Amino acid sequence: MTTYNTIEKEAFAEFRDRGSRFLAYIFPVSSPEEFKARLKALKVEHPKAAHHCFAYRIGTDGNQFRSSDDGEPAGSAGKPILGQLDSRNVTDTGVVVVRYFGGTLLGVPGLINAYKTVTSLAMQVTPVKEKPVLVKYELEFNYTLMNDVMVNIRKSSGEVIATENQLFCRIIVGIPKKEEDSWIRKMQDMHGVEVRRLM
């Protein structure tokens, strides 16, 4: 896999059914900790809501995911939210659906429909973007080689993630997987550059 799909900006949608209000917040997220912080902020923003149900999927392999019904009947909220993320094949994405109870029970089919619908509406208003899968490398080299190193990174559409500039420079870069082999060959042709792949 050389690319993955994600969203780049937050979006919001609302759905109503028999007096209950469902508010969906969808946002880019890169770690479970970042997601938890966003969930906590929404709980503060909506302290009187009956439920704060959610789902997220993180990582280019898509193996890091979680969903929660937050007190709704099992499988009626978290799974439908996650199902919408998966139907659009997105990762590094989180959704929190805040529910204000309207006094009428919707039943499991009604809840599944509401959580699925509001998540789908939120996804319709934020564009999905294809991004390259990046492989991380650590480079160490003499400061005089900085220009040549940066030219090679740019030519490969790489991203500089972190830098440490002293007499010897240490930088961490993300190189698109499909450019990896040719980029390594170029870097090995440069004398005085140490290249280490990071996990």
Side-chain angles (χ1 to χ4, degrees), residues 6 10 17 45 48 50 60-61 63-64 71 82 87 91 112 128 139 143 148 155 161 170 175 178 181 189:
T6 190
E10 292 195 17
D17 188 359
E45 197 180 319
K48 292 183 178 171
T60 51
D61 57 8
N63 287 340
Q64 228 180 347
L82 187 63
S87 74
T91 188
I112 290 171
V128 171
L139 308 176
Y143 191 73
D148 295 338
K155 277 185 182 169
I161 297 163
R170 182 177 159 273
I175 301 297
K178 61 181 180 184
D181 293 342
D189 289 343

PDB file of all heavy atoms in Angstrom, residues 6 10 17 45 48 50 60-61 63-64 71 82 87 91 112 128 139 143 148 155 161 170 175 178 181 189:
ATOM      1  N   THR A   6      -7.718  10.049   3.909  1.00  0.00           N
ATOM      2  CA  THR A   6      -8.023  10.688   5.184  1.00  0.00           C
ATOM      3  C   THR A   6      -8.774  11.989   4.917  1.00  0.00           C
ATOM      4  O   THR A   6      -9.004  12.359   3.769  1.00  0.00           O
ATOM      5  CB  THR A   6      -6.747  10.928   6.006  1.00  0.00           C
ATOM      6  OG1 THR A   6      -7.109  11.341   7.320  1.00  0.00           O
ATOM      7  CG2 THR A   6      -5.837  11.976   5.373  1.00  0.00           C
ATOM      8  N   GLU A  10     -11.993  19.581   9.923  1.00  0.00           N
ATOM      9  CA  GLU A  10     -13.155  19.202  10.727  1.00  0.00           C
ATOM     10  C   GLU A  10     -14.452  19.512   9.996  1.00  0.00           C
ATOM     11  O   GLU A  10     -14.496  20.398   9.149  1.00  0.00           O
ATOM     12  CB  GLU A  10     -13.159  19.990  12.047  1.00  0.00           C
ATOM     13  CG  GLU A  10     -12.048  19.607  12.973  1.00  0.00           C
ATOM     14  CD  GLU A  10     -12.264  20.123  14.391  1.00  0.00           C
ATOM     15  OE1 GLU A  10     -13.408  20.495  14.732  1.00  0.00           O
ATOM     16  OE2 GLU A  10     -11.293  20.134  15.153  1.00  0.00           O
ATOM     17  N   ASP A  17     -34.472  13.057  15.024  1.00  0.00           N
ATOM     18  CA  ASP A  17     -35.458  11.989  14.878  1.00  0.00           C
ATOM     19  C   ASP A  17     -36.324  11.940  16.141  1.00  0.00           C
ATOM     20  O   ASP A  17     -35.802  11.727  17.244  1.00  0.00           O
ATOM     21  CB  ASP A  17     -34.754  10.641  14.662  1.00  0.00           C
ATOM     22  CG  ASP A  17     -35.729   9.518  14.313  1.00  0.00           C
ATOM     23  OD1 ASP A  17     -36.949   9.774  14.263  1.00  0.00           O
ATOM     24  OD2 ASP A  17     -35.271   8.379  14.099  1.00  0.00           O
ATOM     25  N   GLU A  45     -18.087  20.707  26.332  1.00  0.00           N
ATOM     26  CA  GLU A  45     -18.938  21.585  25.521  1.00  0.00           C
ATOM     27  C   GLU A  45     -20.420  21.185  25.601  1.00  0.00           C
ATOM     28  O   GLU A  45     -21.306  22.024  25.498  1.00  0.00           O
ATOM     29  CB  GLU A  45     -18.461  21.510  24.062  1.00  0.00           C
ATOM     30  CG  GLU A  45     -18.943  22.631  23.177  1.00  0.00           C
ATOM     31  CD  GLU A  45     -18.421  22.492  21.747  1.00  0.00           C
ATOM     32  OE1 GLU A  45     -17.238  22.123  21.562  1.00  0.00           O
ATOM     33  OE2 GLU A  45     -19.205  22.739  20.826  1.00  0.00           O
ATOM     34  N   LYS A  48     -24.769  18.398  29.114  1.00  0.00           N
ATOM     35  CA  LYS A  48     -26.127  17.905  29.369  1.00  0.00           C
ATOM     36  C   LYS A  48     -26.589  16.858  28.357  1.00  0.00           C
ATOM     37  O   LYS A  48     -27.717  16.387  28.420  1.00  0.00           O
ATOM     38  CB  LYS A  48     -27.104  19.081  29.386  1.00  0.00           C
ATOM     39  CG  LYS A  48     -26.858  19.989  30.592  1.00  0.00           C
ATOM     40  CD  LYS A  48     -27.853  21.115  30.657  1.00  0.00           C
ATOM     41  CE  LYS A  48     -27.583  21.954  31.918  1.00  0.00           C
ATOM     42  NZ  LYS A  48     -28.375  23.181  31.926  1.00  0.00           N
ATOM     43  N   ALA A  50     -27.095  13.274  26.544  1.00  0.00           N
ATOM     44  CA  ALA A  50     -27.326  11.936  27.108  1.00  0.00           C
ATOM     45  C   ALA A  50     -26.185  10.974  26.776  1.00  0.00           C
ATOM     46  O   ALA A  50     -25.824  10.128  27.581  1.00  0.00           O
ATOM     47  CB  ALA A  50     -28.641  11.379  26.571  1.00  0.00           C
ATOM     48  N   THR A  60      -1.806   4.084   8.903  1.00  0.00           N
ATOM     49  CA  THR A  60      -1.941   3.750   7.478  1.00  0.00           C
ATOM     50  C   THR A  60      -2.312   2.289   7.260  1.00  0.00           C
ATOM     51  O   THR A  60      -2.855   1.934   6.221  1.00  0.00           O
ATOM     52  CB  THR A  60      -0.649   4.082   6.708  1.00  0.00           C
ATOM     53  OG1 THR A  60       0.461   3.486   7.394  1.00  0.00           O
ATOM     54  CG2 THR A  60      -0.422   5.574   6.623  1.00  0.00           C
ATOM     55  N   ASP A  61      -2.052   1.419   8.258  1.00  0.00           N
ATOM     56  CA  ASP A  61      -2.491   0.030   8.115  1.00  0.00           C
ATOM     57  C   ASP A  61      -3.931  -0.145   8.615  1.00  0.00           C
ATOM     58  O   ASP A  61      -4.550  -1.186   8.413  1.00  0.00           O
ATOM     59  CB  ASP A  61      -1.553  -0.935   8.859  1.00  0.00           C
ATOM     60  CG  ASP A  61      -1.410  -0.602  10.346  1.00  0.00           C
ATOM     61  OD1 ASP A  61      -2.149   0.272  10.849  1.00  0.00           O
ATOM     62  OD2 ASP A  61      -0.548  -1.221  11.001  1.00  0.00           O
ATOM     63  N   ASN A  63      -5.082  -0.580  11.517  1.00  0.00           N
ATOM     64  CA  ASN A  63      -5.268  -1.577  12.581  1.00  0.00           C
ATOM     65  C   ASN A  63      -5.620  -0.982  13.944  1.00  0.00           C
ATOM     66  O   ASN A  63      -5.998  -1.713  14.856  1.00  0.00           O
ATOM     67  CB  ASN A  63      -4.014  -2.447  12.734  1.00  0.00           C
ATOM     68  CG  ASN A  63      -3.883  -3.427  11.582  1.00  0.00           C
ATOM     69  OD1 ASN A  63      -4.864  -3.715  10.909  1.00  0.00           O
ATOM     70  ND2 ASN A  63      -2.687  -3.914  11.343  1.00  0.00           N
ATOM     71  N   GLN A  64      -5.459   0.328  14.097  1.00  0.00           N
ATOM     72  CA  GLN A  64      -5.762   0.975  15.376  1.00  0.00           C
ATOM     73  C   GLN A  64      -7.149   1.609  15.285  1.00  0.00           C
ATOM     74  O   GLN A  64      -7.327   2.611  14.605  1.00  0.00           O
ATOM     75  CB  GLN A  64      -4.711   2.060  15.652  1.00  0.00           C
ATOM     76  CG  GLN A  64      -4.151   1.992  17.037  1.00  0.00           C
ATOM     77  CD  GLN A  64      -3.113   3.078  17.280  1.00  0.00           C
ATOM     78  OE1 GLN A  64      -2.628   3.731  16.372  1.00  0.00           O
ATOM     79  NE2 GLN A  64      -2.786   3.278  18.519  1.00  0.00           N
ATOM     80  N   GLY A  71     -23.328   3.866  26.528  1.00  0.00           N
ATOM     81  CA  GLY A  71     -24.613   3.711  27.224  1.00  0.00           C
ATOM     82  C   GLY A  71     -25.806   3.410  26.329  1.00  0.00           C
ATOM     83  O   GLY A  71     -26.870   3.030  26.812  1.00  0.00           O
ATOM     84  N   LEU A  82     -18.349   3.715  13.006  1.00  0.00           N
ATOM     85  CA  LEU A  82     -17.133   3.132  12.421  1.00  0.00           C
ATOM     86  C   LEU A  82     -17.405   2.604  11.016  1.00  0.00           C
ATOM     87  O   LEU A  82     -16.578   2.757  10.116  1.00  0.00           O
ATOM     88  CB  LEU A  82     -16.606   2.008  13.322  1.00  0.00           C
ATOM     89  CG  LEU A  82     -15.254   1.396  12.933  1.00  0.00           C
ATOM     90  CD1 LEU A  82     -14.129   2.432  13.005  1.00  0.00           C
ATOM     91  CD2 LEU A  82     -14.921   0.207  13.825  1.00  0.00           C
ATOM     92  N   SER A  87     -16.709   2.658   5.178  1.00  0.00           N
ATOM     93  CA  SER A  87     -17.344   2.681   3.852  1.00  0.00           C
ATOM     94  C   SER A  87     -16.663   3.710   2.943  1.00  0.00           C
ATOM     95  O   SER A  87     -16.664   3.574   1.729  1.00  0.00           O
ATOM     96  CB  SER A  87     -18.836   2.978   3.962  1.00  0.00           C
ATOM     97  OG  SER A  87     -19.053   4.346   4.270  1.00  0.00           O
ATOM     98  N   THR A  91      -8.769   6.719   7.165  1.00  0.00           N
ATOM     99  CA  THR A  91      -8.077   6.484   8.423  1.00  0.00           C
ATOM    100  C   THR A  91      -7.595   7.833   8.960  1.00  0.00           C
ATOM    101  O   THR A  91      -7.816   8.866   8.334  1.00  0.00           O
ATOM    102  CB  THR A  91      -6.932   5.468   8.248  1.00  0.00           C
ATOM    103  OG1 THR A  91      -6.404   5.136   9.548  1.00  0.00           O
ATOM    104  CG2 THR A  91      -5.814   6.007   7.370  1.00  0.00           C
ATOM    105  N   ILE A 112     -29.457   2.890  15.130  1.00  0.00           N
ATOM    106  CA  ILE A 112     -28.464   2.561  14.093  1.00  0.00           C
ATOM    107  C   ILE A 112     -28.616   3.525  12.923  1.00  0.00           C
ATOM    108  O   ILE A 112     -27.636   4.094  12.427  1.00  0.00           O
ATOM    109  CB  ILE A 112     -28.606   1.086  13.625  1.00  0.00           C
ATOM    110  CG1 ILE A 112     -28.140   0.141  14.747  1.00  0.00           C
ATOM    111  CG2 ILE A 112     -27.820   0.829  12.337  1.00  0.00           C
ATOM    112  CD1 ILE A 112     -28.425  -1.342  14.494  1.00  0.00           C
ATOM    113  N   VAL A 128     -12.447  14.046   1.234  1.00  0.00           N
ATOM    114  CA  VAL A 128     -11.498  12.961   1.506  1.00  0.00           C
ATOM    115  C   VAL A 128     -10.300  13.162   0.590  1.00  0.00           C
ATOM    116  O   VAL A 128     -10.454  13.432  -0.600  1.00  0.00           O
ATOM    117  CB  VAL A 128     -12.155  11.581   1.255  1.00  0.00           C
ATOM    118  CG1 VAL A 128     -11.128  10.463   1.316  1.00  0.00           C
ATOM    119  CG2 VAL A 128     -13.260  11.334   2.281  1.00  0.00           C
ATOM    120  N   LEU A 139      18.500  10.906   9.311  1.00  0.00           N
ATOM    121  CA  LEU A 139      19.723  11.217   8.563  1.00  0.00           C
ATOM    122  C   LEU A 139      20.691  11.984   9.457  1.00  0.00           C
ATOM    123  O   LEU A 139      20.270  12.863  10.211  1.00  0.00           O
ATOM    124  CB  LEU A 139      19.402  12.095   7.342  1.00  0.00           C
ATOM    125  CG  LEU A 139      18.305  11.621   6.383  1.00  0.00           C
ATOM    126  CD1 LEU A 139      18.078  12.662   5.309  1.00  0.00           C
ATOM    127  CD2 LEU A 139      18.680  10.301   5.759  1.00  0.00           C
ATOM    128  N   TYR A 143      26.986  19.707   8.264  1.00  0.00           N
ATOM    129  CA  TYR A 143      26.171  20.871   7.893  1.00  0.00           C
ATOM    130  C   TYR A 143      26.390  21.315   6.445  1.00  0.00           C
ATOM    131  O   TYR A 143      25.477  21.798   5.787  1.00  0.00           O
ATOM    132  CB  TYR A 143      26.466  22.038   8.853  1.00  0.00           C
ATOM    133  CG  TYR A 143      25.492  23.173   8.699  1.00  0.00           C
ATOM    134  CD1 TYR A 143      24.185  23.052   9.173  1.00  0.00           C
ATOM    135  CD2 TYR A 143      25.852  24.362   8.050  1.00  0.00           C
ATOM    136  CE1 TYR A 143      23.269  24.076   9.019  1.00  0.00           C
ATOM    137  CE2 TYR A 143      24.939  25.397   7.882  1.00  0.00           C
ATOM    138  CZ  TYR A 143      23.649  25.241   8.375  1.00  0.00           C
ATOM    139  OH  TYR A 143      22.742  26.249   8.214  1.00  0.00           O
ATOM    140  N   ASP A 148      22.342  19.798  -0.451  1.00  0.00           N
ATOM    141  CA  ASP A 148      22.194  18.615  -1.303  1.00  0.00           C
ATOM    142  C   ASP A 148      21.174  17.636  -0.721  1.00  0.00           C
ATOM    143  O   ASP A 148      20.374  17.048  -1.453  1.00  0.00           O
ATOM    144  CB  ASP A 148      23.546  17.894  -1.463  1.00  0.00           C
ATOM    145  CG  ASP A 148      24.559  18.765  -2.204  1.00  0.00           C
ATOM    146  OD1 ASP A 148      24.125  19.685  -2.923  1.00  0.00           O
ATOM    147  OD2 ASP A 148      25.765  18.525  -2.061  1.00  0.00           O
ATOM    148  N   LYS A 155      12.925  16.442  -4.078  1.00  0.00           N
ATOM    149  CA  LYS A 155      12.708  15.735  -5.349  1.00  0.00           C
ATOM    150  C   LYS A 155      11.878  14.469  -5.159  1.00  0.00           C
ATOM    151  O   LYS A 155      11.186  14.030  -6.071  1.00  0.00           O
ATOM    152  CB  LYS A 155      14.060  15.368  -5.983  1.00  0.00           C
ATOM    153  CG  LYS A 155      14.686  16.511  -6.765  1.00  0.00           C
ATOM    154  CD  LYS A 155      15.942  16.042  -7.459  1.00  0.00           C
ATOM    155  CE  LYS A 155      16.611  17.181  -8.214  1.00  0.00           C
ATOM    156  NZ  LYS A 155      17.967  16.828  -8.679  1.00  0.00           N
ATOM    157  N   ILE A 161      10.301  15.976   9.243  1.00  0.00           N
ATOM    158  CA  ILE A 161       9.474  15.837  10.441  1.00  0.00           C
ATOM    159  C   ILE A 161      10.126  16.532  11.638  1.00  0.00           C
ATOM    160  O   ILE A 161       9.460  17.167  12.443  1.00  0.00           O
ATOM    161  CB  ILE A 161       9.210  14.340  10.733  1.00  0.00           C
ATOM    162  CG1 ILE A 161       8.404  13.734   9.568  1.00  0.00           C
ATOM    163  CG2 ILE A 161       8.452  14.149  12.048  1.00  0.00           C
ATOM    164  CD1 ILE A 161       8.423  12.225   9.511  1.00  0.00           C
ATOM    165  N   ARG A 170      21.065  16.443  12.273  1.00  0.00           N
ATOM    166  CA  ARG A 170      20.284  15.216  12.419  1.00  0.00           C
ATOM    167  C   ARG A 170      18.851  15.587  12.046  1.00  0.00           C
ATOM    168  O   ARG A 170      18.271  16.474  12.648  1.00  0.00           O
ATOM    169  CB  ARG A 170      20.358  14.739  13.864  1.00  0.00           C
ATOM    170  CG  ARG A 170      19.626  13.451  14.115  1.00  0.00           C
ATOM    171  CD  ARG A 170      19.805  13.020  15.566  1.00  0.00           C
ATOM    172  NE  ARG A 170      18.750  12.100  15.929  1.00  0.00           N
ATOM    173  CZ  ARG A 170      17.564  12.462  16.398  1.00  0.00           C
ATOM    174  NH1 ARG A 170      17.273  13.735  16.575  1.00  0.00           N
ATOM    175  NH2 ARG A 170      16.650  11.557  16.699  1.00  0.00           N
ATOM    176  N   ILE A 175       9.498   9.704   3.761  1.00  0.00           N
ATOM    177  CA  ILE A 175       9.641   9.555   2.308  1.00  0.00           C
ATOM    178  C   ILE A 175       8.475   8.706   1.788  1.00  0.00           C
ATOM    179  O   ILE A 175       8.198   7.640   2.336  1.00  0.00           O
ATOM    180  CB  ILE A 175      10.996   8.867   1.956  1.00  0.00           C
ATOM    181  CG1 ILE A 175      12.182   9.684   2.500  1.00  0.00           C
ATOM    182  CG2 ILE A 175      11.134   8.633   0.455  1.00  0.00           C
ATOM    183  CD1 ILE A 175      12.343  11.077   1.931  1.00  0.00           C
ATOM    184  N   LYS A 178       6.482   4.850  -2.402  1.00  0.00           N
ATOM    185  CA  LYS A 178       6.786   4.535  -3.806  1.00  0.00           C
ATOM    186  C   LYS A 178       8.095   5.179  -4.290  1.00  0.00           C
ATOM    187  O   LYS A 178       8.641   4.793  -5.310  1.00  0.00           O
ATOM    188  CB  LYS A 178       5.615   4.899  -4.722  1.00  0.00           C
ATOM    189  CG  LYS A 178       5.222   6.344  -4.751  1.00  0.00           C
ATOM    190  CD  LYS A 178       4.049   6.536  -5.685  1.00  0.00           C
ATOM    191  CE  LYS A 178       3.636   7.991  -5.733  1.00  0.00           C
ATOM    192  NZ  LYS A 178       2.448   8.196  -6.544  1.00  0.00           N
ATOM    193  N   ASP A 181      12.879   3.427  -2.734  1.00  0.00           N
ATOM    194  CA  ASP A 181      14.069   2.768  -3.295  1.00  0.00           C
ATOM    195  C   ASP A 181      14.987   3.738  -4.035  1.00  0.00           C
ATOM    196  O   ASP A 181      16.201   3.736  -3.836  1.00  0.00           O
ATOM    197  CB  ASP A 181      13.662   1.617  -4.225  1.00  0.00           C
ATOM    198  CG  ASP A 181      13.002   0.477  -3.450  1.00  0.00           C
ATOM    199  OD1 ASP A 181      13.175   0.435  -2.207  1.00  0.00           O
ATOM    200  OD2 ASP A 181      12.312  -0.353  -4.065  1.00  0.00           O
ATOM    201  N   ASP A 189      24.604   7.504  -2.647  1.00  0.00           N
ATOM    202  CA  ASP A 189      25.620   8.081  -3.544  1.00  0.00           C
ATOM    203  C   ASP A 189      26.276   9.314  -2.930  1.00  0.00           C
ATOM    204  O   ASP A 189      27.306   9.784  -3.422  1.00  0.00           O
ATOM    205  CB  ASP A 189      25.000   8.454  -4.898  1.00  0.00           C
ATOM    206  CG  ASP A 189      24.642   7.222  -5.718  1.00  0.00           C
ATOM    207  OD1 ASP A 189      25.157   6.128  -5.382  1.00  0.00           O
ATOM    208  OD2 ASP A 189      23.834   7.342  -6.658  1.00  0.00           O
TER     209      ASP A 189
END
